[in-house]
Amino acid sequence: MLSRSLRPAVQKAVAQPISQVNAQRNMATLREIELRLKSVRNIEKITKSMKMIAATKLTKAQKAASNAKTYGQANSEVFTNSEATAPEGGKKLFVVISSDKGLCGGVHSAVSKTTRAALKESPEDTQSKVIVIGDKSKSQLSRAVPDNLALTVNGIGKDVPTFADACSVADLIVQSGVEYDSVHLVYNKVVSAIASEPRIQQVYGEAALKASPNFRAYEMEDDVTKDLAEFALANAIYAVLVEGHAAEMNSRRNAMDNASKNAGDMIVSLQMKYNRGRQAAITNELVDIITGASAL
């Protein structure tokens, strides 16, 4: 049995019309849809703005990448004409090119995955050291191969990388004390307007240049060979830094474009739900009015 204090409330709830309960429920649902519509519209504005910014930076990055290819071609000619090869069983150093920012698709995951696969190619490679440029790949590789990490660098890639940035990275590699016979630069290369893929570029060290058959024909001091190897490393790093930056901007533009399209589709779906709910609420109110008028 119900207590006397609860009986009036129960009787009032039972006597409440079902249509009024449904109307209140519809109003609450409409309010939720309206708030969600507002948040999705704000997200769409943000993604469209980020797409425009990425498109502007991409034009600048592509121009810099085309100019930086000269540095990479100069390195290739030096190693090709000297017929330099990495010593068999030599130590490898992997330099992963990424950045500190996300929201650009899977470019950071791609270079991290390529690095992990390269470290598993042979038993000797599993002990190779890894230097990471950028916090995004650092967080991934620090979990996957923590024992291989030798150095991490951040703060590069906020704008189009310069040759000074590449020189600073090359100096850090030389001063880190990591022993290597060849450097493998893991970076993203733009393949098309909608895609990029990870690549590995090999740069030979001082010992490989000294041992090359065509390079030994010239009498050079050890300091000259060492400086040439460091300059070649800086050249290669600059070329891949700019290429990786262009790939990141390209991927970010595509990612923000897809996000804007998805937000637009969600807005259309939510707007349709809102209109249907609003129409149902109006219909119920009209039914109540007509029913009440016919009862008089």
Side-chain angles (χ1 to χ4, degrees):
M1 297 296 294
L2 293 174
S3 62
R4 294 183 179 180
S5 60
L6 292 177
R7 286 179 184 176
V10 173
Q11 291 175 357
K12 183 178 180 181
V14 173
Q16 190 176 13
I18 298 178
S19 59
Q20 187 176 355
V21 175
N22 292 334
Q24 293 176 355
R25 186 183 297 113
N26 288 335
M27 291 303 296
T29 305
L30 289 175
R31 181 59 178 169
E32 293 174 358
I33 295 175
E34 188 177 3
L35 292 174
R36 193 173 181 186
L37 264 172
K38 184 179 179 181
S39 63
V40 174
R41 286 195 180 101
N42 292 334
I43 292 173
E44 185 186 30
K45 292 178 182 178
I46 295 172
T47 54
K48 284 184 176 180
S49 300
M50 293 183 67
K51 175 190 171 184
M52 294 176 62
I53 295 172
T56 304
K57 289 185 177 181
L58 176 61
T59 304
K60 187 178 179 181
Q62 287 176 337
K63 184 178 180 181
S66 62
N67 295 332
K69 286 181 180 179
T70 307
Y71 292 84
Q73 292 172 356
N75 268 9
S76 299
E77 291 181 3
V78 170
F79 295 130
T80 301
N81 295 330
S82 63
E83 297 182 2
T85 56
E88 186 176 355
K91 296 181 180 180
K92 297 180 181 179
L93 173 64
F94 290 90
V95 180
V96 183
I97 309 297
S98 68
S99 70
D100 302 334
K101 295 182 180 180
L103 298 176
C104 53
V107 290
H108 302 311
S109 300
V111 292
S112 300
K113 184 178 179 181
T114 303
T115 304
R116 293 197 304 268
L119 290 173
K120 296 179 181 178
E121 287 184 356
S122 64
E124 294 82 6
D125 293 340
T126 56
Q127 304 299 324
S128 300
K129 294 299 181 181
V130 178
I131 293 178
V132 184
I133 300 175
D135 289 336
K136 289 299 179 181
S137 290
K138 170 191 171 184
S139 61
Q140 298 174 5
L141 293 175
S142 61
R143 296 190 299 266
V145 286
D147 298 333
N148 298 80
L149 289 183
L151 181 68
T152 59
V153 183
N154 58 8
I156 295 177
K158 295 180 180 179
D159 200 359
V160 178
T162 62
F163 189 73
D165 295 332
C167 290
S168 63
V169 174
D171 289 339
L172 289 174
I173 293 174
V174 173
Q175 296 173 5
S176 64
V178 179
E179 297 180 357
Y180 61 88
D181 296 307
S182 61
V183 179
H184 296 254
L185 303 173
V186 187
Y187 67 104
N188 285 295
K189 182 177 179 60
V190 178
V191 179
S192 64
I194 59 173
S196 61
E197 62 181 19
R199 299 283 181 87
I200 297 180
Q201 181 176 336
Q202 187 174 5
V203 182
Y204 300 109
E206 179 184 358
L209 285 175
K210 288 182 179 179
S212 60
N214 293 341
F215 199 81
R216 285 184 297 177
Y218 302 94
E219 294 183 1
M220 291 187 179
E221 298 180 358
D222 293 339
D223 292 341
V224 175
T225 308
K226 182 179 179 181
D227 293 341
L228 178 60
E230 293 178 5
F231 183 70
L233 178 60
N235 275 348
I237 291 176
Y238 175 60
V240 299
L241 275 176
V242 177
E243 185 68 30
H245 180 73
E248 180 186 351
M249 292 298 108
N250 186 41
S251 180
R252 179 171 288 116
R253 183 196 62 178
N254 295 330
M256 293 301 102
D257 184 33
N258 294 332
S260 299
K261 290 179 180 178
N262 292 336
D265 295 340
M266 188 176 294
I267 288 172
V268 172
S269 176
L270 290 173
Q271 189 67 52
M272 188 174 296
K273 287 183 179 180
Y274 180 82
N275 293 339
R276 288 176 178 174
R278 182 59 181 164
Q279 187 64 39
I282 294 173
T283 303
N284 291 334
E285 290 175 1
L286 291 175
V287 169
D288 292 341
I289 293 171
I290 295 172
T291 304
S294 62
L296 295 177

